[in-house]
Amino acid sequence: MSRIPLMAGNWKMNLDHLEATATVQRLHWALQDANFDFNAVEVAVLPPFTDLRSVQTLVDADKMSIVYGGQDVSINPAGAYTGEISARMLVKLGCKYVVVGHSERRQFHGETDKLIGGKAMAAVLSGITPIVCVGEALAIRKRGEHVAYTLAQIDAVFGEMAQDLAPRAVIAYEPIWAIGTGEVATPADAQEVCGAIRERLASLYGRQAAWQMRILYGGSVKASNVASIMAEADVDGGLVGGASLDPAEFAKICRFAEHIA
Ligand code: 13P
């Protein structure tokens, strides 16, 4: 059984709820016009929290096959945590996925691997699939320590999760130096780390579980470079930032199989 690729558009703090419905509608049309096979590639959008209700209403009304999720989740189930959003709230809005541990949350909100593992656990316990982000900064890559660094993040995050539930997670390898910079990792760079992550998952959860888990690449993914990255054995999809805000471009990214380089 092979892994179904996942193309997930992380909108970050872009697009209000009106722009969100227009964007999802255009994405759906673009894919429909191309006779896109939603069973062959899973397409997800990850809008800001304030857009989720509008996206849910549109997706449900038009019976779209596009799935969606949040960009963060609280480690706590409920209570006095001003500004936080619980996994249960995301479930109520029909979210399938939630990003945890994005490098921007690690950098600007001081999130630790321990917290991120707790958030991933809160998500799986509620039935949402966490997309766990890992990846090194430029200085670490220049020292040649990127594989060891990223695997240490995997160990620390997954160490917070129950052994039987952890394999439900999706992992996104996002080298920080490639995020929003236009500097994409080479396919070999992406494969080196994604392959090492899968090996580590195999030692943690067994070969079969590791074989079934999806590992995404993120960092300046565009229609023009997605096919060669997706051709790598251990890359099972993309976590797409800037390019996912343009529905025509994101639709082309989802159709990577038609333009294998
Ligand atoms: P860009 O695709 O804009 O480089 O962003 C990648 C990212 O951070 C997705 O989570």
Side-chain angles (χ1 to χ4, degrees), residues 8-12 46 99 102-104 133 172 174-176 178-183 217-222 238-244:
N10 175 10
W11 293 0
K12 308 192 180 185
L46 306 164
V99 177
H102 193 279
S103 62
E104 288 148 18
C133 300
E174 298 205 303
I176 295 169
I179 295 176
T181 57
E183 190 166 339
Y217 166 80
S220 298
V221 172
K222 299 193 170 44
L239 187 54
V240 185
S244 73

Side-chain angles (χ1 to χ4, degrees), residues 196-241:
I197 291 172
R198 196 174 312 281
E199 279 303 311
R200 181 55 56 94
L201 294 172
S203 67
L204 291 172
Y205 306 114
R207 264 206 186 270
Q208 196 186 345
W211 173 255
Q212 287 173 359
M213 291 175 76
R214 287 183 293 183
I215 305 172
L216 316 181
Y217 166 80
S220 298
V221 172
K222 299 193 170 44
S224 57
N225 58 33
V226 65
S228 55
I229 295 171
M230 286 302 295
E232 295 294 337
D234 289 298
V235 179
D236 306 315
L239 187 54
V240 185

Side-chain angles (χ1 to χ4, degrees), residues 23-38 41 43 58-59 61-66 247-248 250-252 254-255 258:
T23 302
V24 172
Q25 186 76 75
R26 285 196 194 108
L27 174 63
H28 176 70
W29 283 332
L31 291 170
Q32 247 187 355
D33 285 351
N35 287 322
F36 185 76
D37 180 2
F38 285 94
V41 179
V43 178
L58 174 66
V59 165
D62 287 10
K63 298 188 172 44
M64 292 178 181
S65 299
I66 294 168
F250 190 50
K252 277 191 213 155
C254 296
R255 295 170 60 202
E258 296 167 42

Side-chain angles (χ1 to χ4, degrees), residues 135-172:
E136 82 286 353
L138 185 58
I140 295 166
R141 174 155 288 260
K142 282 190 169 157
R143 291 202 299 271
E145 294 166 5
H146 47 286
V147 173
Y149 180 88
T150 306
L151 293 183
Q153 287 181 317
I154 293 283
D155 287 344
V157 172
F158 282 84
E160 299 297 316
M161 297 184 73
Q163 184 83 10
D164 56 331
L165 297 177
R168 296 186 193 173
V170 169
I171 291 147

Side-chain angles (χ1 to χ4, degrees), residues 87-163:
R88 187 172 163 276
M89 292 168 179
L90 295 179
V91 169
K92 281 274 177 193
L93 286 165
C95 289
K96 180 166 181 187
Y97 292 103
V98 68
V99 177
V100 296
H102 193 279
S103 62
E104 288 148 18
R105 297 222 48 100
R106 291 174 184 264
Q107 184 182 351
F108 302 127
H109 300 270
E111 293 200 5
T112 61
D113 289 323
K114 187 173 167 56
L115 176 74
I116 292 157
K119 289 182 171 192
M121 196 59 199
V124 286
L125 283 173
S126 298
I128 301 186
T129 300
I131 300 176
V132 176
C133 300
V134 292
E136 82 286 353
L138 185 58
I140 295 166
R141 174 155 288 260
K142 282 190 169 157
R143 291 202 299 271
E145 294 166 5
H146 47 286
V147 173
Y149 180 88
T150 306
L151 293 183
Q153 287 181 317
I154 293 283
D155 287 344
V157 172
F158 282 84
E160 299 297 316
M161 297 184 73
Q163 184 83 10

